[in-house]
Amino acid sequence: MATKFVSERNIKFLLYEVFDVESLTKYEYYSEHNRKMFDMVLKAAVKLGKDLLFPIFEEMDRNQPELVNGEVKVHPAVKTIMKEFGDGGWISSRVPFDQDGEQLPSMVADICEFIFAAANYSANAYPGLTFGASHLIESFGSKALYDTYVPRMRSGEWQGTMALTEPEAGSSLSDITTMAEPTTEGYYRIKGQKIFISAGDHDGVANVVHLMLAKIEGAPAGVKGISLFVVPKKRIDEKGDLVSNDVVSSGVYHKLGYRGCPIVQLSMGDKNDCRGWLVGEPHSGLKCMFQMMNEARIGVGMGATAMATAAYYASLEYTKTRRQGRKVSQKDPSLSPIAIIEHADVKRMLLFQRAVIEGAQSLLMQCSKFVDYQKVLTGEEREKYHLLLEILTPVAKSYPSEMGIQAISQGLQCLGGSGYCDDYPLEQYYRDCRIHPIHEGTTGIQGMDLLGRKVIMHDGQAFLLYINELQSTIKAARKYKVLEKYAGELSDALTKLEEITHHLVSIAQLQGPEAFLADATLYLEFFGHITVAWQWLLQGIAVQKALNNGAAKKDYNFYRGKMFTLRYFFGYELSKTLGLAKRLVADDRLTVEMQPEYFND
Amino acid sequence: MATKFVSERNIKFLLYEVFDVESLTKYEYYSEHNRKMFDMVLKAAVKLGKDLLFPIFEEMDRNQPELVNGEVKVHPAVKTIMKEFGDGGWISSRVPFDQDGEQLPSMVADICEFIFAAANYSANAYPGLTFGASHLIESFGSKALYDTYVPRMRSGEWQGTMALTEPEAGSSLSDITTMAEPTTEGYYRIKGQKIFISAGDHDGVANVVHLMLAKIEGAPAGVKGISLFVVPKKRIDEKGDLVSNDVVSSGVYHKLGYRGCPIVQLSMGDKNDCRGWLVGEPHSGLKCMFQMMNEARIGVGMGATAMATAAYYASLEYTKTRRQGRKVSQKDPSLSPIAIIEHADVKRMLLFQRAVIEGAQSLLMQCSKFVDYQKVLTGEEREKYHLLLEILTPVAKSYPSEMGIQAISQGLQCLGGSGYCDDYPLEQYYRDCRIHPIHEGTTGIQGMDLLGRKVIMHDGQAFLLYINELQSTIKAARKYKVLEKYAGELSDALTKLEEITHHLVSIAQLQGPEAFLADATLYLEFFGHITVAWQWLLQGIAVQKALNNGAAKKDYNFYRGKMFTLRYFFGYELSKTLGLAKRLVADDRLTVEMQPEYFND
């Protein structure tokens, strides 16, 4: 029933007014691009989303994948989607010109993915995963592997996957048991089980290429013994034909949501005839996989934001048309009911959604810009943006995942009873979005990554760079009278963040890692609110610049809405840091000392 | 896969140690009861939940109700459930002896309903709604209506419903358009539409009795013109046969969850032959309905708590058996993985669930006790508990509804990817529980009820009584050294609550009702955290008393767990009031001033 799933106005605001993507074209690598071309790409992405993906958003959910005769059957449109995304160059939008790609800035390519995910998250997973897997072969694989797999993946003929999780190794990858036995033929013999593999098998493509973690016989224990392999569903035999590679789909999960994309259980080597080809060096698989995982984590944040964005527009549409009740100051029952968007509490629920989605979208575009900087800069400058991206990745993954659920829940609430029924899309968004705090590393894992790794890495260098970035935004914001208050509030929160971080690091030294990391999830949440407040301040600066430069009248309402949402974020969201801050310094080892047996009864 | 859905130990702790249900037996009305009998009732309720309700929890979800040839088909077990609940006296557990009821204290009857709802919320809705509807006839209906309907409802032969909502009148009941035309035959001719009617039609009973709001022709506009009617699906004709009463089931909703119970769309009087019988006085329908609605609101809180309790035990079971990773202080990969309940972050997620569910359950039992006091006390004392119940009702409805969702979401998170799949029950709880902030008055409506009605009613009398109750608990807690800290924290929060309440009331006077109520939902949340902190302090006192009186050794772990959860609540949950408090005094009319057109683009 909803008709809109993204705001093109907001996309352009972020791309051109906040993050100035055009400035990238002054660098050699992006010099052949210009704004006109970016606009065309965006227009094409919106059209593809509208025409191909959005119309089957519900259909793909209602007809979930099933395992039939050993193969996973998916919605027939998946074949078309993979072909369109291949032919249209969407899978290779980030690929350099010299590999026949579009060489688009990440900022533009990522926003296209955002559009696709908003239109239909499950549908976008197929080409999205394929790009990620092909990029891994491109980065670390041999020329032979590249030639065999990459072109067919970029054309959408073959699906790519990331095959990590096993029945006994989810969050703890060091415990994988899938084995790779070396042969003298240039390949390894693979034996093991993988579970929860997104797009792990389906009939919309001719082949599925797994980028799979396994251990070579005799490898060291733990993560140091993990290697990365290409393990295709079908391999090419001597005659050039595709033949079975002994990868069996042993199950497809029935899930709460995200049902348009199959999550598959795989069994390799039941007939002792599963071949895998090593990617990169032996035992360096996790390092390779982390490139893809980091991209995938930001991708999850992007998808979570996109989904919550689509849900926001569906709920906004409803609140504009649904009439119910009267202003609390006008109780006369003979007056006509008003549109529910007139009620302060409904405006609050809409502002909350908007504060989350536009704040998160800004953060993700910030990350994309840092990716672009890594491409065009060198030396210390490059390292700077690398470190900033490292520290922002767990936040960019988890803030949209966690807050997106709350935003969608408020969107559902705007529809009342109708939100609970499948006549409207909110219930599906509510189901779909629950995957995000789980896949590609749970929120708990992200918290430990942020506090236990990123904040302290290189003697706190990434953290320091982060603080500097925020401080320079605060300084810039202070030039605008209307932003002074918010600059001050962010500055206070940032001081608190520094204090708490130093406090926690001292706990690490005094009490060890368990006490240090016990509340890492809360630290992540705290860090997230502050990071998104920074993004709102950046947006506020862009609004003030536009207004000072004589914005077009047709844009007034957009900018007013932005400023109200900024005020909402600082008033309602940033204040959530107060309670978290209190807890983070409490230091009573409560969750460490709690014993499992006290949960009995 | 889960085996446990409630804690009998905790139920007994609350009933006997915290709220001393036995003390009620000193009053004449409950004098025929004793602890032994209560224990037997509880045992029977648990057995019924285990044997009849819990085993079909998933089945009822997977086979949702459908409209077939004008009648709603439900799971065949519904017939058995209604019969068992009728025969076993569960529908009449609160009914006086002189009406052949069990005359159980509400505290005991309500905890039985809690057990049933934990076992299977949808299944419990059928008898639960039937009791509510029959109670309304008992309270306000004529003897003739009582004789015709009540015995057949209490026996489980006939279903009862509450039929309020219409396509154009959900939260705004004043806009209902269902009409009642008087006749000279003692009945009214009903014409209109109702939507979202729980158990509004099904083939598990011989008849469905709607307690329906309608307007008598010529009635005043708004809520003052609403009357209450009994409108059965089938009426009894002159020969004593059941014949159609022109109530047509025009649709059954397909919902996110709560699928074991049909939510029905009804059309009355299509053939101009739908008869309704007035309950109580003309135009006093809302007053009557409010009795049922208040009970239903507390019932929703109870159901939400019960569901989150069952989810907690399912996630607890998983965390005890699932092995993954090692302590962060022990990274040696050659060590065996530990049960995930050993991880601090998992303990945090379990403690969060437990803090919410046991806190909410305590609050609900507190409400039940006040209901009991209203039964046995008179005059000013009775009025005191009436007012306390009035102010607690929106909190008892909304805290478990909102926090229950978060608790269940954390429960799901404990299972990782498995939580997202339907091999485990968490995904169903996550779907089921989302109804609670919507039905029987949304959270927004509860916020306005609390701040706009209950807090200021009788010149703030209810609010004052509430403050006094909390202060006397704080005083009692200060006697225990280990509780002093928490008593102090609650005292500080309570002072803050008083300040904020006075501030908001002054805004009502200075700026009018819209500014006053703009953040009523946040006020409700703030109030909720404080109210549940009070309940935890009450539990803390009971634990300390038990320990001082030489608790049995087998109870040590239970009491230790209680104290850790109390500490968790004060450390992690009560601190959430800090951010809310900041916002509640901000007074910038943000959501009032935001204009609908600023949401464009």
Side-chain angles (χ1 to χ4, degrees):
Chain A
M1 305 230 2
T3 55
K4 184 175 177 176
F5 52 86
V6 288
S7 160
E8 291 177 62
R9 180 68 192 87
N10 191 52
I11 286 172
K12 290 186 175 172
F13 171 72
L14 291 171
L15 264 184
Y16 300 124
E17 299 174 59
V18 181
F19 292 108
D20 190 13
V21 65
E22 287 181 88
S23 69
L24 288 176
T25 60
K26 73 181 181 219
Y27 297 100
E28 171 70 23
Y29 188 76
Y30 291 129
S31 60
E32 292 193 30
H33 292 295
N34 56 51
R35 172 157 179 171
K36 204 174 151 192
M37 200 183 280
F38 296 151
D39 281 343
M40 278 172 58
V41 171
L42 290 177
K43 205 173 157 185
V46 171
K47 188 171 158 42
L48 193 59
K50 261 193 189 140
D51 294 347
L52 183 62
L53 307 181
F54 195 55
I56 50 168
F57 166 68
E58 284 182 19
E59 236 177 82
M60 286 178 76
D61 174 74
R62 306 304 191 266
N63 303 287
Q64 63 180 326
E66 296 291 352
L67 185 62
V68 182
N69 298 329
E71 190 179 41
V72 178
K73 302 277 171 203
V74 294
H75 193 286
V78 173
K79 193 171 276 182
T80 316
I81 291 165
M82 284 298 280
K83 191 167 161 31
E84 285 279 329
F85 273 70
D87 291 352
W90 299 107
I91 302 179
S92 46
S93 60
R94 298 171 185 84
V95 171
F97 292 137
D98 60 16
Q99 292 179 39
D100 293 326
E102 314 294 323
Q103 200 165 316
L104 279 177
S106 280
M107 291 175 75
V108 178
D110 291 348
I111 209 72
C112 291
E113 217 174 312
F114 171 86
I115 292 165
F116 301 142
N120 188 332
Y121 182 77
S122 292
N124 180 61
Y126 298 90
L129 288 162
T130 301
F131 165 71
S134 68
H135 190 211
L136 207 45
I137 301 176
E138 177 194 340
S139 304
F140 303 104
S142 65
K143 182 161 184 316
L145 282 178
Y146 180 97
D147 290 342
T148 307
Y149 293 99
V150 174
R152 290 177 172 103
M153 294 167 82
R154 288 183 184 157
S155 69
E157 287 167 78
W158 292 1
Q159 174 70 49
T161 85
M162 179 155 76
L164 288 69
T165 305
E166 298 183 3
E168 303 306 323
S171 292
S172 174
L173 278 177
S174 64
D175 292 316
I176 63 166
T177 58
T178 295
M179 293 304 297
E181 179 198 337
T183 70
T184 53
E185 316 286 318
Y187 60 80
Y188 289 73
R189 219 178 289 280
I190 307 291
K191 204 170 179 64
Q193 304 255 322
K194 293 285 173 183
I195 60 169
F196 294 141
I197 308 307
S198 285
D201 183 26
H202 64 90
D203 60 349
V205 285
N207 198 6
V208 181
V209 183
H210 304 289
L211 275 287
M212 189 178 287
L213 295 184
K215 287 186 173 174
I216 298 170
E217 282 186 354
V223 291
K224 287 175 190 155
I226 296 175
S227 302
L228 179 65
F229 296 87
V230 165
V231 181
K233 177 184 172 185
K234 293 178 183 168
R235 64 184 188 239
I236 300 174
D237 72 2
E238 303 73 25
K239 289 178 277 176
D241 294 330
L242 276 180
V243 297
S244 167
N245 189 37
D246 195 14
V247 177
V248 173
S249 297
S250 47
V252 63
Y253 294 90
H254 284 177
K255 313 186 299 298
L256 174 58
Y258 183 27
R259 288 186 183 161
C261 182
I263 308 296
V264 183
Q265 190 168 349
L266 299 173
S267 183
M268 286 77 60
D270 290 357
K271 298 177 185 154
N272 206 26
D273 186 32
C274 176
R275 299 182 185 177
W277 286 266
L278 186 68
V279 179
E281 297 300 307
H283 318 318
S284 68
L286 206 65
K287 201 199 75 193
C288 305
M289 194 51 105
F290 250 104
Q291 172 194 295
M292 183 163 168
M293 190 123 70
N294 278 337
E295 287 169 5
R297 284 177 175 177
I298 292 180
V300 167
M302 184 69 91
T305 307
M307 209 181 267
T309 299
Y312 165 67
Y313 286 107
S315 78
L316 178 60
E317 195 169 300
Y318 184 89
T319 61
K320 284 179 176 173
T321 49
R322 171 71 175 166
R323 303 180 81 83
Q324 186 84 170
R326 286 145 201 91
K327 294 258 177 193
V328 289
S329 49
Q330 297 175 322
K331 282 293 187 194
D332 179 356
S334 69
L335 291 170
S336 294
I338 57 176
I340 61 172
I341 196 175
E342 301 270 348
H343 297 299
D345 197 52
V346 173
K347 285 187 271 180
R348 183 188 58 77
M349 292 193 282
L350 292 169
L351 279 165
F352 171 68
Q353 293 178 68
R354 193 170 166 185
V356 167
I357 61 172
E358 294 183 3
Q361 198 184 345
S362 183
L363 171 60
L364 286 153
M365 197 155 301
Q366 180 78 75
C367 291
S368 303
K369 189 166 190 176
F370 291 163
V371 171
D372 284 324
Y373 278 159
Q374 284 183 262
K375 282 240 173 69
V376 297
L377 300 174
T378 53
E380 234 175 76
E381 277 285 279
R382 188 178 187 282
E383 178 64 8
K384 169 181 162 183
Y385 293 108
H386 168 69
L387 288 176
L388 278 167
L389 202 58
E390 286 280 315
I391 198 166
L392 285 181
T393 297
V395 184
K397 196 270 175 183
S398 59
Y399 180 91
S401 298
E402 293 288 346
M403 296 306 292
I405 292 177
Q406 291 191 36
I408 289 171
S409 187
Q410 289 288 277
L412 188 156
Q413 188 73 11
C414 287
L415 277 73
S418 294
Y420 200 64
C421 299
D422 70 3
D423 306 311
Y424 291 87
L426 270 302
E427 66 87 24
Q428 184 181 340
Y429 291 123
Y430 178 76
R431 289 185 285 108
D432 286 355
C433 71
R434 191 59 189 80
I435 189 62
H436 297 310
I438 300 170
H439 63 176
E440 312 308 346
T442 63
T443 298
I445 294 287
Q446 303 302 322
M448 292 204 279
D449 182 48
L450 176 66
L451 183 59
R453 237 170 62 88
K454 304 301 176 61
V455 160
I456 54 179
M457 76 193 294
H458 299 272
D459 282 330
Q461 190 61 28
F463 184 67
L464 196 66
L465 288 167
Y466 170 86
I467 298 287
N468 289 347
E469 282 293 306
L470 268 66
Q471 272 168 347
S472 81
T473 301
I474 290 165
K475 197 175 153 195
R478 288 197 201 274
K479 290 181 197 149
Y480 301 92
K481 184 136 190 65
V482 67
L483 296 177
E484 265 175 21
K485 176 173 169 346
Y486 308 109
E489 288 179 11
L490 181 56
S491 178
D492 292 347
L494 197 55
T495 304
K496 203 83 200 164
L497 175 64
E498 288 186 82
E499 283 170 23
I500 285 169
T501 306
H502 293 142
H503 173 76
L504 291 174
V505 171
S506 76
I507 287 192
Q509 287 151 354
L510 295 169
Q511 303 184 26
E514 215 184 339
F516 171 48
L517 295 175
D519 277 338
T521 305
L522 270 75
Y523 181 82
L524 174 68
E525 188 184 343
F526 182 70
F527 204 106
H529 292 307
I530 292 171
T531 303
V532 175
W534 163 45
Q535 292 301 312
W536 270 109
L537 204 53
L538 274 175
Q539 292 183 68
I541 293 170
V543 169
Q544 294 309 313
K545 272 188 187 156
L547 293 175
N548 288 353
N549 294 338
K553 206 164 174 186
K554 68 173 173 50
D555 274 336
Y556 280 9
N557 281 346
F558 175 75
Y559 290 128
R560 282 191 192 113
K562 273 284 174 199
M563 288 308 294
F564 267 95
T565 315
L566 179 154
R567 279 172 60 192
Y568 181 90
F569 192 91
F570 279 85
Y572 290 74
E573 293 301 302
L574 187 61
S575 53
K576 289 177 179 168
T577 54
L578 295 176
L580 292 164
K582 187 173 180 205
R583 173 62 214 167
L584 284 165
V585 297
D587 190 20
D588 65 358
R589 299 173 54 93
L590 171 58
T591 54
V592 177
E593 287 168 10
M594 177 74 185
Q595 295 301 310
E597 59 269 27
Y598 303 164
F599 284 111
N600 291 345
D601 271 308
Chain B
M1 307 229 3
T3 55
K4 183 175 177 175
F5 52 86
V6 287
S7 160
E8 292 177 61
R9 181 67 190 88
N10 190 52
I11 285 172
K12 290 186 177 172
F13 171 71
L14 291 172
L15 264 185
Y16 300 125
E17 298 173 62
V18 182
F19 293 107
D20 190 14
V21 64
E22 288 181 88
S23 68
L24 289 175
T25 61
K26 72 181 181 218
Y27 297 99
E28 171 69 22
Y29 188 75
Y30 291 128
S31 59
E32 293 194 30
H33 292 294
N34 56 52
R35 173 158 180 169
K36 202 172 153 192
M37 200 184 282
F38 296 150
D39 281 343
M40 279 172 56
V41 171
L42 290 177
K43 203 172 159 187
V46 171
K47 187 171 159 42
L48 193 59
K50 260 193 190 141
D51 295 348
L52 184 61
L53 307 182
F54 195 56
I56 51 168
F57 166 69
E58 284 182 19
E59 233 177 85
M60 287 179 75
D61 173 74
R62 304 303 192 266
N63 303 287
Q64 63 180 327
E66 297 291 353
L67 186 62
V68 183
N69 298 328
E71 191 180 42
V72 177
K73 302 276 169 205
V74 294
H75 193 285
V78 173
K79 193 171 276 180
T80 317
I81 291 164
M82 284 298 280
K83 192 168 160 30
E84 286 279 330
F85 274 70
D87 291 352
W90 298 106
I91 302 179
S92 45
S93 60
R94 297 169 186 85
V95 170
F97 291 138
D98 59 16
Q99 292 179 40
D100 292 327
E102 314 295 324
Q103 200 164 316
L104 279 177
S106 280
M107 291 175 74
V108 178
D110 292 348
I111 209 74
C112 291
E113 217 174 310
F114 172 87
I115 292 164
F116 302 143
N120 189 331
Y121 181 78
S122 292
N124 179 59
Y126 298 90
L129 287 163
T130 301
F131 165 71
S134 68
H135 190 211
L136 207 44
I137 302 176
E138 176 194 341
S139 304
F140 302 104
S142 66
K143 183 164 184 313
L145 282 179
Y146 181 97
D147 291 342
T148 307
Y149 293 100
V150 174
R152 290 177 171 104
M153 293 166 82
R154 288 184 183 155
S155 69
E157 288 168 78
W158 292 1
Q159 174 69 47
T161 86
M162 179 155 73
L164 288 70
T165 303
E166 298 183 4
E168 302 306 323
S171 292
S172 173
L173 277 177
S174 64
D175 292 316
I176 63 164
T177 59
T178 295
M179 293 304 299
E181 181 198 336
T183 70
T184 54
E185 317 286 317
Y187 59 80
Y188 289 73
R189 218 178 289 281
I190 308 290
K191 204 168 178 63
Q193 305 256 323
K194 294 286 173 183
I195 60 169
F196 295 141
I197 308 307
S198 285
D201 183 27
H202 64 90
D203 60 349
V205 285
N207 199 7
V208 181
V209 183
H210 304 290
L211 274 287
M212 189 178 289
L213 295 184
K215 286 185 172 174
I216 298 171
E217 282 186 353
V223 290
K224 286 174 191 155
I226 296 174
S227 301
L228 179 64
F229 296 86
V230 165
V231 181
K233 178 184 173 186
K234 292 178 184 169
R235 64 184 187 239
I236 300 175
D237 71 2
E238 303 73 27
K239 288 178 278 177
D241 293 332
L242 275 180
V243 297
S244 165
N245 189 37
D246 195 13
V247 177
V248 174
S249 297
S250 46
V252 63
Y253 295 90
H254 284 177
K255 313 186 300 298
L256 174 58
Y258 182 27
R259 288 187 182 160
C261 182
I263 308 296
V264 183
Q265 191 168 348
L266 299 173
S267 183
M268 287 75 62
D270 290 358
K271 297 176 185 156
N272 205 25
D273 186 32
C274 176
R275 299 181 186 177
W277 286 267
L278 186 69
V279 178
E281 298 299 308
H283 318 318
S284 68
L286 205 65
K287 201 199 75 194
C288 304
M289 193 51 105
F290 250 104
Q291 172 194 296
M292 183 162 169
M293 190 124 69
N294 278 337
E295 286 170 3
R297 284 177 175 178
I298 292 179
V300 167
M302 184 69 93
T305 308
M307 208 182 266
T309 299
Y312 165 68
Y313 285 107
S315 78
L316 178 61
E317 194 169 300
Y318 184 89
T319 60
K320 284 179 176 174
T321 49
R322 171 71 175 166
R323 302 180 82 83
Q324 187 83 173
R326 288 147 199 88
K327 293 257 177 194
V328 289
S329 50
Q330 297 175 322
K331 283 292 187 194
D332 179 356
S334 70
L335 291 170
S336 292
I338 57 175
I340 61 171
I341 196 174
E342 302 270 350
H343 297 300
D345 197 52
V346 173
K347 286 188 268 180
R348 184 188 58 78
M349 292 194 282
L350 292 169
L351 280 166
F352 171 68
Q353 294 178 66
R354 193 170 167 185
V356 167
I357 61 172
E358 294 183 4
Q361 198 183 347
S362 183
L363 171 59
L364 286 153
M365 197 155 298
Q366 180 77 76
C367 291
S368 303
K369 188 165 191 179
F370 290 163
V371 171
D372 284 324
Y373 278 159
Q374 283 182 262
K375 282 239 174 69
V376 297
L377 300 173
T378 53
E380 234 174 74
E381 277 284 280
R382 187 177 187 282
E383 178 64 8
K384 170 182 163 182
Y385 293 109
H386 168 68
L387 287 175
L388 278 167
L389 202 57
E390 285 280 315
I391 200 166
L392 286 180
T393 297
V395 184
K397 196 268 175 185
S398 60
Y399 181 90
S401 298
E402 294 288 346
M403 298 305 292
I405 293 177
Q406 292 190 36
I408 289 171
S409 187
Q410 288 290 277
L412 188 155
Q413 189 73 12
C414 287
L415 277 73
S418 294
Y420 200 63
C421 299
D422 70 3
D423 306 311
Y424 291 87
L426 270 301
E427 67 86 24
Q428 184 180 341
Y429 291 123
Y430 179 76
R431 289 185 287 108
D432 285 356
C433 71
R434 190 58 188 80
I435 188 61
H436 297 309
I438 299 170
H439 64 177
E440 312 308 343
T442 62
T443 298
I445 294 287
Q446 304 302 322
M448 292 204 278
D449 182 47
L450 175 66
L451 184 59
R453 238 170 61 88
K454 303 301 176 59
V455 160
I456 56 178
M457 76 194 293
H458 299 273
D459 282 330
Q461 190 61 28
F463 184 68
L464 197 66
L465 288 167
Y466 170 87
I467 298 288
N468 290 346
E469 282 293 306
L470 268 67
Q471 273 169 346
S472 81
T473 301
I474 290 164
K475 198 175 154 195
R478 288 196 201 275
K479 290 182 198 146
Y480 301 92
K481 185 139 189 64
V482 66
L483 296 177
E484 264 175 22
K485 175 173 171 342
Y486 308 109
E489 287 179 11
L490 181 56
S491 178
D492 293 346
L494 197 55
T495 305
K496 203 82 199 163
L497 175 65
E498 289 186 83
E499 282 169 22
I500 284 170
T501 306
H502 293 144
H503 173 76
L504 291 173
V505 171
S506 76
I507 286 191
Q509 286 152 354
L510 295 170
Q511 301 184 26
E514 216 184 338
F516 170 48
L517 294 175
D519 277 337
T521 304
L522 270 75
Y523 181 82
L524 173 69
E525 189 184 342
F526 182 69
F527 204 107
H529 291 308
I530 292 172
T531 303
V532 175
W534 162 44
Q535 291 301 314
W536 271 109
L537 204 53
L538 274 175
Q539 292 183 69
I541 293 170
V543 169
Q544 294 310 313
K545 274 188 186 157
L547 293 176
N548 288 352
N549 295 337
K553 205 164 174 186
K554 69 173 173 49
D555 274 336
Y556 279 9
N557 281 346
F558 176 75
Y559 291 128
R560 283 191 191 115
K562 274 283 175 199
M563 289 308 293
F564 267 96
T565 315
L566 179 154
R567 278 171 62 191
Y568 181 91
F569 192 92
F570 279 85
Y572 290 73
E573 292 303 301
L574 187 61
S575 53
K576 289 178 180 168
T577 55
L578 296 177
L580 292 165
K582 187 173 179 206
R583 172 62 214 167
L584 283 165
V585 297
D587 189 20
D588 65 358
R589 299 171 56 92
L590 170 58
T591 55
V592 177
E593 287 168 10
M594 176 75 184
Q595 295 302 309
E597 59 269 27
Y598 302 164
F599 284 112
N600 291 344
D601 271 310

